[in-house]
mmCIF file of all heavy atoms in Angstrom:
data_model
loop_
_atom_site.group_PDB
_atom_site.id
_atom_site.type_symbol
_atom_site.label_atom_id
_atom_site.label_comp_id
_atom_site.label_asym_id
_atom_site.label_seq_id
_atom_site.Cartn_x
_atom_site.Cartn_y
_atom_site.Cartn_z
ATOM 1 N N ASP A 14 5.415 70.929 86.346
ATOM 2 C CA ASP A 14 5.157 72.207 85.662
ATOM 3 C C ASP A 14 4.175 73.049 86.490
ATOM 4 O O ASP A 14 3.033 72.645 86.703
ATOM 5 C CB ASP A 14 4.584 71.909 84.264
ATOM 6 C CG ASP A 14 4.456 73.163 83.413
ATOM 7 O OD1 ASP A 14 4.021 74.205 83.952
ATOM 8 O OD2 ASP A 14 4.793 73.095 82.223
ATOM 9 N N ARG A 15 4.605 74.209 86.935
ATOM 10 C CA ARG A 15 3.736 75.055 87.757
ATOM 11 C C ARG A 15 2.923 76.038 86.923
ATOM 12 O O ARG A 15 2.147 76.822 87.456
ATOM 13 C CB ARG A 15 4.588 75.869 88.747
ATOM 14 C CG ARG A 15 5.188 75.032 89.835
ATOM 15 C CD ARG A 15 6.273 75.820 90.580
ATOM 16 N NE ARG A 15 6.911 74.967 91.577
ATOM 17 C CZ ARG A 15 6.459 74.830 92.824
ATOM 18 N NH1 ARG A 15 5.383 75.486 93.221
ATOM 19 N NH2 ARG A 15 7.079 74.033 93.672
ATOM 20 N N GLU A 16 3.150 76.038 85.617
ATOM 21 C CA GLU A 16 2.484 77.045 84.784
ATOM 22 C C GLU A 16 1.243 76.512 84.077
ATOM 23 O O GLU A 16 0.471 77.275 83.499
ATOM 24 C CB GLU A 16 3.486 77.595 83.760
ATOM 25 C CG GLU A 16 4.616 78.346 84.443
ATOM 26 C CD GLU A 16 5.787 78.591 83.517
ATOM 27 O OE1 GLU A 16 5.759 79.618 82.838
ATOM 28 O OE2 GLU A 16 6.689 77.735 83.457
ATOM 29 N N LEU A 17 1.061 75.194 84.115
ATOM 30 C CA LEU A 17 -0.052 74.578 83.381
ATOM 31 C C LEU A 17 -1.403 75.151 83.813
ATOM 32 O O LEU A 17 -2.190 75.613 82.983
ATOM 33 C CB LEU A 17 -0.002 73.059 83.593
ATOM 34 C CG LEU A 17 -1.160 72.225 83.053
ATOM 35 C CD1 LEU A 17 -1.327 72.394 81.554
ATOM 36 C CD2 LEU A 17 -0.943 70.747 83.384
ATOM 37 N N PRO A 19 -2.162 77.898 85.788
ATOM 38 C CA PRO A 19 -2.312 79.348 85.527
ATOM 39 C C PRO A 19 -2.512 79.663 84.036
ATOM 40 O O PRO A 19 -3.278 80.558 83.703
ATOM 41 C CB PRO A 19 -0.988 79.943 86.039
ATOM 42 C CG PRO A 19 -0.497 78.964 87.050
ATOM 43 C CD PRO A 19 -0.948 77.610 86.596
ATOM 44 N N ASP A 20 -1.846 78.937 83.155
ATOM 45 C CA ASP A 20 -2.065 79.151 81.717
ATOM 46 C C ASP A 20 -3.519 78.880 81.353
ATOM 47 O O ASP A 20 -4.156 79.648 80.625
ATOM 48 C CB ASP A 20 -1.182 78.204 80.875
ATOM 49 C CG ASP A 20 0.227 78.726 80.688
ATOM 50 O OD1 ASP A 20 0.509 79.865 81.130
ATOM 51 O OD2 ASP A 20 1.058 77.984 80.110
ATOM 52 N N ALA A 23 -5.679 81.651 82.590
ATOM 53 C CA ALA A 23 -5.465 82.901 81.837
ATOM 54 C C ALA A 23 -6.154 82.829 80.473
ATOM 55 O O ALA A 23 -6.701 83.822 79.991
ATOM 56 C CB ALA A 23 -3.963 83.155 81.666
ATOM 57 N N ILE A 24 -6.152 81.653 79.864
ATOM 58 C CA ILE A 24 -6.835 81.503 78.563
ATOM 59 C C ILE A 24 -8.351 81.639 78.771
ATOM 60 O O ILE A 24 -9.029 82.320 78.012
ATOM 61 C CB ILE A 24 -6.453 80.162 77.897
ATOM 62 C CG1 ILE A 24 -4.959 80.141 77.565
ATOM 63 C CG2 ILE A 24 -7.277 79.948 76.610
ATOM 64 C CD1 ILE A 24 -4.388 78.738 77.352
ATOM 65 N N PHE A 41 -4.897 84.885 71.326
ATOM 66 C CA PHE A 41 -3.739 84.652 70.452
ATOM 67 C C PHE A 41 -2.493 85.337 71.017
ATOM 68 O O PHE A 41 -1.397 84.753 71.023
ATOM 69 C CB PHE A 41 -4.017 85.165 69.034
ATOM 70 C CG PHE A 41 -4.234 84.058 68.040
ATOM 71 C CD1 PHE A 41 -5.436 83.951 67.353
ATOM 72 C CD2 PHE A 41 -3.239 83.122 67.780
ATOM 73 C CE1 PHE A 41 -5.651 82.923 66.435
ATOM 74 C CE2 PHE A 41 -3.441 82.092 66.863
ATOM 75 C CZ PHE A 41 -4.648 82.002 66.189
ATOM 76 N N ALA A 42 -2.665 86.580 71.482
ATOM 77 C CA ALA A 42 -1.508 87.312 72.028
ATOM 78 C C ALA A 42 -0.950 86.576 73.244
ATOM 79 O O ALA A 42 0.264 86.425 73.403
ATOM 80 C CB ALA A 42 -1.934 88.735 72.395
ATOM 81 N N LEU A 43 -1.854 86.086 74.079
ATOM 82 C CA LEU A 43 -1.429 85.366 75.281
ATOM 83 C C LEU A 43 -0.702 84.068 74.911
ATOM 84 O O LEU A 43 0.388 83.772 75.423
ATOM 85 C CB LEU A 43 -2.662 85.040 76.139
ATOM 86 C CG LEU A 43 -2.417 84.153 77.347
ATOM 87 C CD1 LEU A 43 -1.646 84.909 78.419
ATOM 88 C CD2 LEU A 43 -3.734 83.633 77.931
ATOM 89 N N VAL A 44 -1.301 83.297 74.003
ATOM 90 C CA VAL A 44 -0.719 82.012 73.612
ATOM 91 C C VAL A 44 0.645 82.248 72.954
ATOM 92 O O VAL A 44 1.599 81.489 73.184
ATOM 93 C CB VAL A 44 -1.687 81.257 72.670
ATOM 94 C CG1 VAL A 44 -0.991 80.111 71.966
ATOM 95 C CG2 VAL A 44 -2.893 80.744 73.459
ATOM 96 N N GLU A 45 0.755 83.315 72.157
ATOM 97 C CA GLU A 45 2.026 83.610 71.485
ATOM 98 C C GLU A 45 3.110 83.897 72.524
ATOM 99 O O GLU A 45 4.221 83.349 72.440
ATOM 100 C CB GLU A 45 1.847 84.813 70.542
ATOM 101 C CG GLU A 45 3.096 85.117 69.734
ATOM 102 C CD GLU A 45 2.815 86.040 68.557
ATOM 103 O OE1 GLU A 45 1.801 86.764 68.584
ATOM 104 O OE2 GLU A 45 3.628 86.025 67.608
ATOM 105 N N GLU A 46 2.767 84.713 73.490
ATOM 106 C CA GLU A 46 3.752 85.061 74.525
ATOM 107 C C GLU A 46 4.152 83.818 75.335
ATOM 108 O O GLU A 46 5.335 83.583 75.598
ATOM 109 C CB GLU A 46 3.125 86.141 75.421
ATOM 110 C CG GLU A 46 4.035 86.664 76.500
ATOM 111 C CD GLU A 46 3.400 86.519 77.874
ATOM 112 O OE1 GLU A 46 2.272 87.034 78.079
ATOM 113 O OE2 GLU A 46 4.031 85.867 78.734
ATOM 114 N N ARG A 47 3.159 83.009 75.698
ATOM 115 C CA ARG A 47 3.433 81.816 76.500
ATOM 116 C C ARG A 47 4.232 80.771 75.699
ATOM 117 O O ARG A 47 5.091 80.084 76.246
ATOM 118 C CB ARG A 47 2.126 81.189 77.011
ATOM 119 C CG ARG A 47 1.280 82.111 77.872
ATOM 120 C CD ARG A 47 1.994 82.574 79.114
ATOM 121 N NE ARG A 47 2.303 81.455 80.001
ATOM 122 C CZ ARG A 47 3.438 81.319 80.688
ATOM 123 N NH1 ARG A 47 4.398 82.241 80.592
ATOM 124 N NH2 ARG A 47 3.634 80.288 81.454
ATOM 125 N N ALA A 48 3.931 80.657 74.415
ATOM 126 C CA ALA A 48 4.634 79.665 73.591
ATOM 127 C C ALA A 48 6.068 80.122 73.319
ATOM 128 O O ALA A 48 6.986 79.293 73.260
ATOM 129 C CB ALA A 48 3.880 79.435 72.287
ATOM 130 N N GLU A 49 6.265 81.418 73.150
ATOM 131 C CA GLU A 49 7.642 81.910 72.980
ATOM 132 C C GLU A 49 8.458 81.646 74.233
ATOM 133 O O GLU A 49 9.620 81.230 74.164
ATOM 134 C CB GLU A 49 7.638 83.409 72.620
ATOM 135 C CG GLU A 49 7.227 83.631 71.165
ATOM 136 C CD GLU A 49 7.297 85.089 70.717
ATOM 137 O OE1 GLU A 49 7.713 85.954 71.526
ATOM 138 O OE2 GLU A 49 6.936 85.345 69.560
ATOM 139 N N ALA A 50 7.831 81.856 75.394
ATOM 140 C CA ALA A 50 8.525 81.589 76.655
ATOM 141 C C ALA A 50 8.811 80.080 76.798
ATOM 142 O O ALA A 50 9.854 79.683 77.301
ATOM 143 C CB ALA A 50 7.682 82.081 77.826
ATOM 144 N N ALA A 51 7.873 79.255 76.335
ATOM 145 C CA ALA A 51 8.023 77.804 76.490
ATOM 146 C C ALA A 51 9.124 77.254 75.595
ATOM 147 O O ALA A 51 9.852 76.346 75.977
ATOM 148 C CB ALA A 51 6.695 77.106 76.172
ATOM 149 N N THR A 52 9.234 77.800 74.386
ATOM 150 C CA THR A 52 10.090 77.190 73.370
ATOM 151 C C THR A 52 11.377 77.960 73.119
ATOM 152 O O THR A 52 12.305 77.412 72.513
ATOM 153 C CB THR A 52 9.345 77.123 72.012
ATOM 154 O OG1 THR A 52 9.034 78.455 71.594
ATOM 155 C CG2 THR A 52 8.044 76.322 72.135
ATOM 156 N N GLY A 53 11.393 79.229 73.510
ATOM 157 C CA GLY A 53 12.543 80.062 73.186
ATOM 158 C C GLY A 53 12.607 80.395 71.702
ATOM 159 O O GLY A 53 13.625 80.883 71.203
ATOM 160 N N PHE A 218 5.403 77.399 65.828
ATOM 161 C CA PHE A 218 6.700 77.456 66.517
ATOM 162 C C PHE A 218 7.488 76.217 66.114
ATOM 163 O O PHE A 218 7.091 75.103 66.452
ATOM 164 C CB PHE A 218 6.501 77.485 68.035
ATOM 165 C CG PHE A 218 5.802 78.721 68.505
ATOM 166 C CD1 PHE A 218 4.418 78.800 68.464
ATOM 167 C CD2 PHE A 218 6.523 79.821 68.935
ATOM 168 C CE1 PHE A 218 3.757 79.949 68.877
ATOM 169 C CE2 PHE A 218 5.879 80.978 69.349
ATOM 170 C CZ PHE A 218 4.491 81.043 69.311
ATOM 171 N N LEU A 254 1.007 73.837 75.635
ATOM 172 C CA LEU A 254 2.083 74.707 76.148
ATOM 173 C C LEU A 254 2.942 73.951 77.164
ATOM 174 O O LEU A 254 4.173 74.040 77.142
ATOM 175 C CB LEU A 254 1.485 75.966 76.790
ATOM 176 C CG LEU A 254 0.875 76.978 75.808
ATOM 177 C CD1 LEU A 254 0.057 78.039 76.559
ATOM 178 C CD2 LEU A 254 1.971 77.654 74.973
ATOM 179 N N ARG A 258 6.931 72.976 76.929
ATOM 180 C CA ARG A 258 7.939 73.306 77.948
ATOM 181 C C ARG A 258 8.761 72.078 78.331
ATOM 182 O O ARG A 258 9.965 72.171 78.558
ATOM 183 C CB ARG A 258 7.267 73.884 79.208
ATOM 184 C CG ARG A 258 6.958 75.363 79.119
ATOM 185 C CD ARG A 258 6.515 75.929 80.471
ATOM 186 N NE ARG A 258 5.229 75.433 80.900
ATOM 187 C CZ ARG A 258 4.053 75.987 80.574
ATOM 188 N NH1 ARG A 258 4.007 77.061 79.814
ATOM 189 N NH2 ARG A 258 2.931 75.458 81.021
#
Side-chain angles (χ1 to χ4, degrees):
D14 187 318
R15 289 167 184 272
E16 295 165 88
L17 173 59
D20 277 355
I24 296 160
F41 253 119
L43 173 71
V44 165
E45 184 165 22
E46 183 236 304
R47 301 300 296 140
E49 285 184 2
T52 62
F218 295 83
L254 289 168
R258 277 190 292 272

